Amino acid sequence: MQGEPEPISRMEALRGLRISTQEALWATVFVVFTGGAFQIGFARHLGASDLVLGLLAGLPAAVGLLQIPASLYTERRGERRQFVAFSAGAGRLLLATLALVALLPIPDSLKLVAFLILLILSSALLTITVPAWTSWMSDLVPGDARGRYFAGRNRLASIVAMLAPLPAAWLLDRLKPEIGFPLLFGLAAIPAVVCFFLILRQPEPPMVRQVEKTNPLKSLKAPFADPSFRRFLAFAGTVVVGQSLAGQFFMAWQVDKAGLELPYVVVQLIGAVASAASLATMPLWGYLADKYGGRPVLMIGSWLVLISPILWCFTFPGQNWLNYPLMVTMNIVSGAGWAAVGLTQFNLLLSMTPDDKRGTYVAVFSAFTGIIGGVSPIVGGALMTVFADLRLPFGLNNYKVMFLITDVVRVVALVLLHQLKVEDSQTTRFVLGQLVGTGTMGGFRRTQRLAKTTDAEAREETVRELGERKSSLAVEELVEALDDVAHAVRATAARALGEIGDTRAVPSLTAKLFDPAAAVGEEAAHSLGFLGDWSATSALEGAARGPNATVRVAALRALGRLADPSSAPTLIAALNPDRPTRCEAACTALAAIGANLRPEDTAEAQQRLLALLVATVDQGMRLAAARAIEKLASALPNALETVSQKLTEETDPAVLARLAVALSRLVIAHAPEPSTHFPFLLSVARRLEGSGLAYLQALYAAADTVLPPGTLYPLLSLKGMARDEALHKLVADKSLLETYSLGHYTELTKRLPNLARHDDDSTAEEALLALLLLSI
């Protein structure tokens, strides 16, 4: 066993992650120069058939079986850094020797054989590093930051993957293949050497190992005995088939003479679109994966990658006016989709494996997918050869049949993923809801800014913007901001959570009702009211009885917005004229409950509200009490007589008008003959004549007892010609309309004994009421 690494500090771990990111960028340059379109182009230059292309793609993947002994060796060794550095370095340099092979004065067929042998040996050396590297990175990256870290790492790699092919493609388009390919493969040795030294500089934490030594073969059985992991293997294997069965032929279709025959620069430019899409969406996928779990993001990505194989079927040689837009579209969609799949599948693998057996699980996973990835391209090459000799309908050829088969396989993968259950993961529907919500990308950018901003004013402004955009994507970040050191940030976050309207914030907001140090109880109560979740009722009732006067009032107002009938006892208890602000808030809250007031609360509510209708109580409380009685009218059958009495005693015009409306509602709800109360209510209205709005309110209340409720209201609200047009539709007797329009108001009111006046000076509003009564 090698000497095990010493524990490393958090700062050393951070340094290691930065070095790993740098290494990923140089590794991407190496892969770009030696793989993809350039590798296929070199193989075609040497005369490779479709079957050979399948072998090129399949044989390197088939060496994945080597990861099983490699994982066992890593477990026994206890050290990973030097093993990864020297194995990966040798594998990369070996592939770079293709530059020498290309220059050898031997037949192209022998060069192709040498190419295959070097590719297999290089792939073997790189493959055996996977368990050790995965275990190393799993120990180095905190579990709750894997999505963000690998998203950032992959994002930078995507930038390199987007830019690096362009000069290489430009070079190949201008040089003869005999010169261009050797030069390109020779340049690949530079990033290979840089990666070697970067890996040696990366800190390595101690390896988490099994406490008890077990038989290696028994260790290999553990992954297969895990039902969840078996389902994951089935899904991952199917994904590999969907990628590799025809993977090399997507590129071949673009560069082959039998296909679109596009220049390398065009292929790489359009391919850069996929890298740009991956680059743009990778941070979002990482953020969502860390926040809601990898499975829903993986599901979304799996749906996206279904689109491109179908679109490839609509590309045709010589029709680049159609091909280019389609290729750009499919590269955008597939770039975003594969970014989600690649990131979350890897993170899901890490999350589903035990710490002390991760190397073995990863080795089994890689070996399994490697075998499938090795066999699938070979099968794909064989199928291409078979389909090439068939006469296919609908203008299909062997390429497009393979594209359609690929899509079917990806559908199967989606079905298998749907059956995979992962703990601590939100549903795909929920995550899609976050993605299509208001201001998704704007909200995402602001949540990222909030996580990085250290200035209090800037944080407050960002939180305010998140609330204004109603970005439900930011709920968790805003909940964290409730504990920000700056009070302004905490208060703004509490308000923003209410504006967003997501009930996930309810538990955190209720906790802040009783946190005097946070001092955001008022804002929390306000937001809880807007959220409208009755689960907050109990907490708000407690806050309404709490020690903080401001929070008490805010809690009562919030209870009013909730309108939960179970809160009535707390509201009734707050009807204390010695606490005017609390009392008014409690009246308003009771009014919001309205007809839903429980029978057991009716008597006390009536008693306490009527007790407020005395001259010694402030006007505001009397108005609030009258308003509550109006809204509770259907639940207060015994209040009619008392309210009538209060009307005779009240002198304040505003309160008198509001009480008239309350009495009208009580009469409509409980009086056998509501019209018998019209004279009394009309007399109240005439007491208010000249009081403007108070008079109109009282007259409207009286009218509702003799007309269908609400009949007079719209006419009182309309003016001039608009009112005349409304009357023309309502009143059939044109002579009555003429009398009204000429201003002969007393003539109309005299026709109705209940409206006749001793002073013969009827108002226009009373004449309007008379007109309606006469027409009915």
Side-chain angles (χ1 to χ4, degrees), residues 65-338:
L65 271 175
L66 294 175
Q67 292 189 38
I68 294 178
S71 71
L72 299 176
Y73 173 72
T74 302
E75 175 66 27
R76 293 188 61 185
R77 180 182 175 90
E79 186 275 341
R80 297 162 291 193
R81 176 166 48 195
Q82 291 191 21
F83 176 67
V84 171
F86 283 97
S87 298
R92 287 173 177 140
L93 287 174
L94 195 61
L95 192 57
T97 59
L98 280 173
L100 299 176
V101 171
L103 294 173
L104 290 175
I106 58 176
D108 286 347
S109 59
L110 292 179
K111 289 181 182 180
L112 189 58
V113 172
F115 181 14
L116 278 169
I117 293 172
L118 287 174
L119 188 60
I120 292 170
L121 292 175
S122 172
S123 299
L125 287 168
L126 288 167
T127 294
I128 62 175
T129 66
V130 172
W133 183 86
T134 305
S135 169
W136 183 3
M137 293 304 296
S138 178
D139 291 342
L140 198 61
V141 185
D144 61 352
R146 285 174 185 157
R148 287 189 294 273
Y149 171 71
F150 285 110
R153 186 178 189 270
N154 294 352
R155 185 186 186 194
L156 293 175
S158 295
I159 296 176
V160 174
M162 181 172 58
L163 300 177
L166 300 180
W170 180 86
L171 187 72
L172 285 179
D173 282 337
R174 279 155 181 77
L175 296 176
K176 292 182 178 179
E178 295 82 1
I179 299 173
F181 285 116
L183 179 59
L184 185 61
F185 295 146
L187 290 173
I190 297 174
V193 172
V194 174
C195 286
F196 171 75
F197 286 107
L198 285 173
I199 293 172
L200 287 178
R201 287 184 56 217
Q202 184 174 314
E204 178 188 1
M207 184 175 176
V208 179
R209 307 172 69 184
Q210 297 185 49
V211 177
E212 298 180 1
K213 298 297 182 182
T214 58
N215 185 298
L217 293 178
K218 187 176 180 181
S219 297
L220 291 176
K221 292 180 180 178
F224 294 104
D226 185 337
S228 296
F229 192 72
R230 287 202 306 270
R231 286 190 288 269
F232 180 65
L233 278 180
F235 160 73
T238 310
V239 169
V240 171
V241 175
Q243 285 180 296
S244 57
L245 184 68
Q248 67 274 29
F249 299 114
F250 286 104
M251 187 62 67
W253 173 247
Q254 298 176 65
V255 299
D256 281 356
K257 291 183 179 180
L260 304 181
E261 199 178 1
L262 301 175
Y264 281 107
V265 169
V266 173
V267 172
Q268 296 300 338
L269 281 172
I270 294 178
V273 173
S275 297
S278 174
L279 173 69
T281 56
M282 190 70 74
L284 178 62
W285 299 138
Y287 171 80
L288 293 173
D290 281 343
K291 194 168 186 177
Y292 304 124
R295 182 183 176 278
V297 179
L298 185 55
M299 185 74 77
I300 294 169
S302 298
W303 274 104
L304 291 175
V305 299
L306 292 177
I307 298 172
S308 59
I310 296 175
L311 293 182
W312 276 114
C313 294
F314 293 93
T315 58
F316 301 93
Q319 298 188 26
N320 290 339
W321 62 271
L322 173 64
N323 296 337
Y324 289 164
L326 282 176
M327 292 171 69
V328 168
T329 301
M330 69 180 75
N331 274 276
I332 291 173
V333 176
S334 63
W338 285 120

Side-chain angles (χ1 to χ4, degrees), residues 749-757:
T749 57
K750 280 184 175 180
R751 298 189 184 189
L752 296 169
N754 284 339
L755 281 173
R757 297 175 63 108

Side-chain angles (χ1 to χ4, degrees), residues 324-546:
Y324 289 164
L326 282 176
M327 292 171 69
V328 168
T329 301
M330 69 180 75
N331 274 276
I332 291 173
V333 176
S334 63
W338 285 120
V341 172
L343 173 69
T344 51
Q345 182 174 275
F346 178 72
N347 288 344
L348 202 57
L349 170 63
L350 296 182
S351 67
M352 295 184 71
T353 56
D355 290 343
D356 60 343
K357 298 178 182 178
R358 182 162 289 125
T360 303
Y361 270 70
V362 170
V364 169
F365 170 83
S366 299
F368 178 76
T369 54
I371 293 172
I372 293 177
V375 173
S376 295
I378 298 172
V379 173
L383 289 174
M384 279 287 291
T385 304
V386 172
F387 291 139
D389 298 329
L390 297 179
R391 193 172 287 180
L392 301 169
F394 309 114
L396 295 174
N397 55 30
N398 53 344
Y399 288 96
K400 295 183 179 181
V401 171
M402 292 301 297
F403 299 160
L404 292 175
I405 293 174
T406 292
D407 215 43
V408 173
V409 173
R410 292 179 184 180
V411 171
V412 174
L414 193 61
V415 173
L416 292 173
L417 177 58
H418 184 72
Q419 297 172 355
L420 184 65
K421 305 303 179 184
V422 181
E423 294 182 1
D424 301 325
S425 183
Q426 286 282 4
T427 65
T428 306
R429 183 187 298 272
F430 175 84
V431 176
L432 281 173
Q434 303 303 298
L435 283 174
V436 301
T438 305
T440 297
M441 292 309 297
F444 170 64
R445 288 194 297 270
R446 285 167 176 80
T447 56
Q448 297 296 91
R449 187 200 309 164
L450 182 63
K452 298 175 182 177
T453 302
T454 56
D455 180 73
E457 291 185 2
R459 286 176 63 80
E460 180 186 358
E461 180 61 26
T462 301
V463 168
R464 181 179 293 108
E465 290 174 0
L466 286 169
E468 290 172 351
R469 297 180 70 88
K470 301 186 185 303
S471 178
S472 59
L473 199 64
V475 168
E476 288 80 3
E477 284 76 10
L478 292 175
V479 165
E480 290 181 6
L482 292 175
D483 291 316
D484 196 277
V485 176
H487 175 265
V489 176
R490 296 196 301 272
T492 306
R495 287 192 291 269
L497 287 168
E499 292 171 2
I500 291 172
D502 194 312
T503 56
R504 286 177 293 158
V506 168
S508 298
L509 288 171
T510 54
K512 291 304 168 188
L513 293 172
F514 308 100
D515 186 354
V520 293
E522 180 181 8
E523 292 83 359
H526 178 83
S527 290
L528 287 169
F530 275 103
L531 291 176
D533 191 334
W534 283 9
S535 66
T537 298
S538 179
L540 286 168
E541 287 184 284
R545 297 187 292 267

